[in-house]
């Protein structure tokens, strides 16, 4: 049902537009009829009337455009009106030079015909370039100068005989004149196509009016191609159509630049009345009181809600300024009046003040009072001020409670406006050795140690860019007594009274940092002690089997390098270096004759060698390493597919450190010399790792190893 109604409305709208267009045509038809009456006298009378009417219309359009361009944004119509106005200048000279007029020293019909075709060329140029100004503004001075020069150039060309002949006595129109008419028709048709493509930039009525004008121009030019004599019907029709074409340009211009602004003004006034009703309704509905002050008379309209907010009924408060002023708390009165005066004098963008107002029962309410001058006289004096009253008593109570909590908390709280201290609670000031009043309003950076100022500035910049919800930083601050305090801070950006402010908490972490440093020192000393034990074990193995000792050290270095390539933590890398240095310690239980035996060993001897993994675990499990060294030693011969020993573990059952060490062990063992064989070489060792990637050896460890040696040129330790 609504769709049918919409279609019906659209049909009625289009009918109305075309009806307006037909009514607009009537004056042009009446003018045309008056011109035809001139034929009863002679053709010259008709010609003067027809040209005169079109010239008057065109020049009127030029005058309207020149005087009203500031009131309209439709530079498209302004451009056309100025253009056809200058065409009319050529038409004036054409009319005066017409054969039989005897007003100018011309010979024959050629000059008048040349002026005619030159004017039509200029007219076509105006129309085809006009769509450019649907998106662009025009400069009036440039338009008049440009068209004025064009008209002057045409007159000079025709007067000097440089313009092509358009009419030859005894022969009639020249081919130049006839083909020019067709070319002008083509240019006007192209203009119609451009307007159609850009029709979304125009109102439907403007598009129709302009299109009708262009069609009339095209028909007029076509009629003139049928010119056989000045008295022929085609010539008469052409002149009448020219009147219609110019008339529609004038109608469009007047409607868009003169009538429409007044319609818009009426609409604006109606919209203003409606919007005033809406905002008053909205403010009252939101629970705020409304006041409207007529400054010259001193009378104020106080809304019903304004009065109810203070406990009064409608008739208990008058309309004088004193009704508000006498109720303001004495401690707040002078500050509130100063804010009012500042805004009335134009020194502030708006009036905003928080003050207490006495209620009917004698209690006090906190009010957020806001106002704005909405009307001033010619001298800038305020005439009308509109404002609102918002009850913020609850907010003030909550603020006081919150402030009490913040003031008493054991955590430092601060607010920054840029790099200036906006607020600090007592605890934040105490951390730095001050009282709060000594820091508020002061710059932050002098409180920061020189070497950490850039860090703090970057911290504030990250907050202002909102890179994350909360930013954290630790830095050294200057205590009032000159000592250094290490503080930790978390902060974020918040809106306070409409302005972005950094709000954060502050803690003295000096003791914690000192404790952490002591722990790190203890761990370093412990690691040093552990590494001393490892060195002792390595030296013991070195005495018994120099090949095994050198092998273990190198495996540890290679394993740590592979772990670094994999991106594992430095703690893991250190653990692998230690585990590598002792992973074959279990070979102490294998007879030295077997370990150093040249040539192939028997199956029984091989089984004895394989016991070293479990034996190594038994030796190392009693030592309290900070890494799983004993388990890595037991698992370093396990394989991803379960083919390893001593427990045939698979995949993730094997520690990551053991998987890394297994790759390093294979690389070093195959590439280095042994008592029973010469070194096979690094490339063959890498090929073995590549072959067993994902089946025998851990894929990520194998990839890191291959990158390390092949892409980054890592070399085995000496």
């Amino acid at each position: 049902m609504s769709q049918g109604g919409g279609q019906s409305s659209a049909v009625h709208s289009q009918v109305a537009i075309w009806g307006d267009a037909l009514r607009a045509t009537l004056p042009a038809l009446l003018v045309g009829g008056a011109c035809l009456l001139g034929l009863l006298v002679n053709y010259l009378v008709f010609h003067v009337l027809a040209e005169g009417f079109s010239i008057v219309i065109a020049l009127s359009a030029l005058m309207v455009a020149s005087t009203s361009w500031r009131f309209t944004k439709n530079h498209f119509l302004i451009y056309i009106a100025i253009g056809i106005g200058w065409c009319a200048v050529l038409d004036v000279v054409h009319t005066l030079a017409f054969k039989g007029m005897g007003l100018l020293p011309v010979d024959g019909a050629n000059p008048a015909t040349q002026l005619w075709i030159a004017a039509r060329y200029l007219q076509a140029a105006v129309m085809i370039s006009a769509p450019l100004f649907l998106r662009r503004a025009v400069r009036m001075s440039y338009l008049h100068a440009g068209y004025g020069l064009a008209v002057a150039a045409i007159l000079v060309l025709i007067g000097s005989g440089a313009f092509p002949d358009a009419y030859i006595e005894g022969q009639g129109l020249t081919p130049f004149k006839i083909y020019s008419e067709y070319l002008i028709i083509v240019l006007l048709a192209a203009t119609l196509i451009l307007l159609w493509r850009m029709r979304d930039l125009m109102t439907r009525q403007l598009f129709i009016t302009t299109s009708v004008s262009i069609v009339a121009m095209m028909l007029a030019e076509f009629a003139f191609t049928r010119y056989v004599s000045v008295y022929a019907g085609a010539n008469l029709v052409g002149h009448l159509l020219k009147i219609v074409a110019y008339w529609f340009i004038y109608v469009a211009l007047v409607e868009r630049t003169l009538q429409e602004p007044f319609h818009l003004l009426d609409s604006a006034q109606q919209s203003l009345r409606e919007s005033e009703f809406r905002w008053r309704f909205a403010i009252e509905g939101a629970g705020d009181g409304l006041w409207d002050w007529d400054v010259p008379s001193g009378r104020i309209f106080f809304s019903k809600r304004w009065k109810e907010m203070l406990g009064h009924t409608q008739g208990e408060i008058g309309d004088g300024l004193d009704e508000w002023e006498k109720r303001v708390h004495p401690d707040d009165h002078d500050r509130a009046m100063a804010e009012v005066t500042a805004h009335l004098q134009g020194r502030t963008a708006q009036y905003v003040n928080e003050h207490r107002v006495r209620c009917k029962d004698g209690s006090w309410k906190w009010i957020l009072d806001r106002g704005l001058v909405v009307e001033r006289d010619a001298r800038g004096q305020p005439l009308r001020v509109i404002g609102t009253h918002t009850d913020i008593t609850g907010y003030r109570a909550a603020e006081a409670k919150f402030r009490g909590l913040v003031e008493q908390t054991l955590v430092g709280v601060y607010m920054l406006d840029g790099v200036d201290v906006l607020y600090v609670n007592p605890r934040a000031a105490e951390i730095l050795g001050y009282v709060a009043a000594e820091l508020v309003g002061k710059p932050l950076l002098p409180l920061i140690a020189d070497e950490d100022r850039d860090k703090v500035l970057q911290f504030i910049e990250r907050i202002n860019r909102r890179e994350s919800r909360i930013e954290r930083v630790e830095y050294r601050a200057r205590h009032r007594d000159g000592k250094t305090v290490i503080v930790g801070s978390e902060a974020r950006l918040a809106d306070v009274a409409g302005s972005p402010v950094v709000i954060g908490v502050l803690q003295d972490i000096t003791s914690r940092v000192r404790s952490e440093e002591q722990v790190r020192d203890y761990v370093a000393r412990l690691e040093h002690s552990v590494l001393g034990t490892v060195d002792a074990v390595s030296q013991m193995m070195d005495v018994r089997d120099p090949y095994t000792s050198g092998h273990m050290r190198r495996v540890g270095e290679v394993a740590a390098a592979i772990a670094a390539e994999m991106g594992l933590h430095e703690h893991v890398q250190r653990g692998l270096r230690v585990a590598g240095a002792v992973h074959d310690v279990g070979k102490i239980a294998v007879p030295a004759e077997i370990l150093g035996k040249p040539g192939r060993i028997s199956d029984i001897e091989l089984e004895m060698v394989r016991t070293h993994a479990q034996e190594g675990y038994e030796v190392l499990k009693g030592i309290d390493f900070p890494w799983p060294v004993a388990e890595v030693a037991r698992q370093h011969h396990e394989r991803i597919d379960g083919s390893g020993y001593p427990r045939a573990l698979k995949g993730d059952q094997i520690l990551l450190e053991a998987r890394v060490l297994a790759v390093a062990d294979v690389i070093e063992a195959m590439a280095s010399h042994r008592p029973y064989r010469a070194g096979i070489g690094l490339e063959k060792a890498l090929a073995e790792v590549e072959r067993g990637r994902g089946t025998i050896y851990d894929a990520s460890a194998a990839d890191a190893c291959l990158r390390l040696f092949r892409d980054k040129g890592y070399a085995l330790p000496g």
Side-chain angles (χ1 to χ4, degrees), residues 554 557-558 561 667 671 682 705 708-710 712-718:
R554 290 190 295 272
E557 293 297 330
V558 174
I667 290 293
L682 180 60
C705 176
L708 198 62
F709 282 95
R710 289 179 174 173
K712 299 187 177 181
Y714 180 79
L716 284 171

Side-chain angles (χ1 to χ4, degrees), residues 612-645:
H612 81 279
Q614 183 65 37
E615 291 296 338
Y617 172 76
E618 297 299 333
V619 171
L620 298 169
K621 69 179 182 181
I623 302 175
D624 189 16
F625 290 103
W627 312 280
V629 173
E631 196 60 53
V632 171
R634 178 160 60 171
Q635 296 182 14
H636 77 275
H637 276 291
E638 301 286 0
R639 298 294 180 255
I640 299 299
D641 60 1
S643 62
Y645 63 87

Side-chain angles (χ1 to χ4, degrees), residues 616-687:
Y617 172 76
E618 297 299 333
V619 171
L620 298 169
K621 69 179 182 181
I623 302 175
D624 189 16
F625 290 103
W627 312 280
V629 173
E631 196 60 53
V632 171
R634 178 160 60 171
Q635 296 182 14
H636 77 275
H637 276 291
E638 301 286 0
R639 298 294 180 255
I640 299 299
D641 60 1
S643 62
Y645 63 87
R647 293 184 293 167
L649 301 178
K650 292 183 177 181
D652 291 340
Q653 292 177 327
I654 308 169
L655 288 175
L656 176 61
E657 290 91 334
R659 284 179 265 159
V660 173
L661 194 70
V663 173
D665 189 32
V666 168
I667 290 293
E668 204 287 328
M670 291 183 67
S672 301
H673 295 291
R674 287 291 180 270
Y676 48 84
R677 62 158 174 81
I680 297 174
L682 180 60
E683 280 306 318
K684 289 187 177 180
L686 293 173

Side-chain angles (χ1 to χ4, degrees), residues 54-63 78-92 122 126 144 147 151 246 249:
S54 64
I55 289 168
V56 169
I57 293 170
L59 292 178
S60 298
L62 182 145
M63 292 177 63
I78 295 293
Y79 180 84
I80 293 176
I82 299 296
I84 67 168
W86 280 98
C87 291
V89 174
L90 291 176
D91 288 335
V92 169
L122 182 60
V126 169
H144 283 297
Y147 284 128
V151 168
Y246 278 22
I249 293 295

